[in-house]
Amino acid sequence: DTLVDIFKKKNVEMSFQGDFRNRTCTLEDALTHRTGIKMYDWLLTDDRDISRAEWVTKFMPLFQQEMEMRSTFYYNNWFYTLAGYLIELFGGKAFEEQVKETIFDALSMDETCFVSDAEFDRLIEENKFAQPYQESRNRTKLYPIPNSAMKYIGVHNPAGGIVSTAGDMAKYMIATIDALGGKDNAILSKEVMTSITDPKMLMGIQLGDPTLIEKPTFNATFKDNGYSYGNIIGTYRGYKYVNHGGSTYGHYSYITVIPSLRIGVFTVISGNNGDIEMWRMQKPMQIYVLDKLMGLEPWLTAETACTFPQPWVENRSTGRIEAKQHVALEPVGREEAELLVGIYKNPVYPVMRIYQKHDSLQFEMGNSNGTVMKGSKENEVKVVLNMPVDPIDLAQEDKMIAYLIYPSQFINSNRLSDLDFEIGGERFAFRRNGSVRYGATTAPLLITFLWLLS
């Protein structure tokens, strides 16, 4: 059955842009990231009062294509929000309630819950919650991130809203190993667990940190090869592993299981969201512990783990995130400000407002706001963002940078008709006071999120 057919069984109308996807897109396509639909990750922080059902049936049908369907691996968190809604339709209960009953309770994961249910104030008071931090660009200051910054995930719990502990995640890893080994009282049958850990889609990339850890360049091979239902499948030292990582505001997590050796590693660190170096810390930690569990002499030392991927390859970062370098901030000139001022709309995003306040140009979109500054390229300006649900008193130079881009062909009568918003590699088109043209590029970001309580 196609996804459209599956929803129809519960009398729910759901569709995609383009008839081909409506006729062919299956649940397997959705859960293995081969739909080619744009990611819209910025919307994961949207605080509008929109239910899971509304996001799936009213907004996702408006999401645009980025790649041809089934042409390449292209990560999209939204299809796990969609899967959560399907679980509710067919299970007759809230997604969170069903996961608690069938997984958390069944495995005695007593310290695990969802972000929407977490009692952060109590956990912090009892010293059971790991304090996350945002780091300054020059790496000299840490800004504590309050727990309120995590509550926005809520409706997207299926894509990454689990709050857990290392102890509970150990129970989950053991359950995975037991199921794949065919243990009688395993949470899932060997047949089902094998199905969800066999690759369904070749990846062609390494998620998080793009560094290809492969012999002979490195001392050993740790390589993601394929993707299954919420699982990355790869090999380390010739052994098949099942793993996944994820990030959100201030938190990065990573879990790897090698079923044939009955070993697994779960790590969590704190750091800047979208910073590739945070991802780069995870794999050396995992590799070092895996070597220890295998009874082997680790090829990574404390020194090389900190310089990784050097000395093997050059330390190259990708993407447009201005992380460590100084960001030059100059006010927008009067003529450019007058050109930009206005209200802009996109079918799925909150309304974008650009307005003059005293001597500065201001930006607002949903629960985000910021100051518009001069760009480094023609027809482009920077937005120094107060991040969504961001209660941190960040210095101006340490805030995230977004971009507003206005191709000259969309300037009419000294006013813009169209304006593109770009953040973290995602770019979306807005039109002044009306309908929108489509296009632009995106880049893979978030995966499954896990938080450490103690």
Side-chain angles (χ1 to χ4, degrees), residues 347-452:
V348 297
Y349 275 81
V351 173
M352 180 198 300
R353 293 178 174 86
I354 311 293
Y355 61 94
Q356 198 79 36
K357 183 177 180 181
H358 305 305
D359 295 328
S360 65
L361 193 62
Q362 298 295 306
F363 164 93
E364 284 186 1
M365 186 168 68
N367 59 350
S368 304
N369 60 73
T371 304
V372 182
M373 308 296 283
K374 186 177 180 179
S376 55
K377 298 180 181 179
E378 186 179 359
N379 297 340
E380 172 188 285
V381 293
K382 296 176 181 177
V383 180
V384 183
L385 280 173
N386 297 314
M387 281 293 289
V389 296
D390 184 1
I392 303 177
D393 187 21
L394 286 173
Q396 191 83 340
E397 63 270 16
D398 288 328
K399 294 180 180 179
M400 181 171 281
I401 304 296
Y403 300 87
L404 298 176
I405 303 163
Y406 53 100
S408 57
Q409 64 265 34
F410 296 111
I411 301 176
N412 296 317
S413 303
N414 297 321
R415 302 297 294 272
L416 288 176
S417 60
D418 291 58
L419 189 63
D420 286 358
F421 172 73
E422 182 181 305
I423 178 72
E426 293 189 322
R427 182 170 168 178
F428 300 93
F430 285 71
R431 171 155 294 193
R432 184 185 292 272
N433 295 324
S435 59
V436 70
R437 61 187 172 85
Y438 288 108
T441 59
T442 56
L445 290 176
L446 309 179
I447 318 171
T448 308
F449 314 137
L450 296 163
W451 280 283
L452 185 67

Side-chain angles (χ1 to χ4, degrees), residues 37-41 63 74-76 78 426 442-445:
I37 290 177
K38 287 172 71 74
M39 294 179 298
Y40 292 84
D41 274 335
F63 286 7
Y74 194 74
Y75 206 95
N76 194 320
W78 282 91
E426 293 189 322
T442 56
L445 290 176

Side-chain angles (χ1 to χ4, degrees), residues 315-334:
N315 186 359
R316 296 190 297 269
S317 295
T318 59
R320 195 175 179 177
I321 299 172
E322 301 184 37
K324 288 192 264 188
Q325 67 273 32
H326 173 71
V327 180
L329 299 175
E330 300 178 32
V332 173
R334 178 180 175 182

Side-chain angles (χ1 to χ4, degrees), residues 42-96:
W42 183 255
L43 284 175
L44 297 174
T45 65
D46 196 329
D47 67 345
R48 286 177 291 177
D49 187 18
I50 300 173
S51 68
R52 193 171 290 155
E54 288 177 299
W55 274 120
V56 172
T57 60
K58 295 182 180 180
F59 287 86
M60 286 188 69
L62 300 173
F63 286 7
Q64 297 298 297
Q65 171 180 300
E66 180 66 18
M67 306 283 186
E68 292 293 332
M69 185 172 161
R70 297 176 183 163
S71 65
T72 188
F73 177 81
Y74 194 74
Y75 206 95
N76 194 320
N77 283 292
W78 282 91
F79 283 98
Y80 278 80
T81 298
L82 178 148
Y85 178 48
L86 278 176
I87 288 172
E88 293 180 336
L89 288 175
F90 283 86
K93 297 179 182 179
F95 165 80
E96 291 80 2

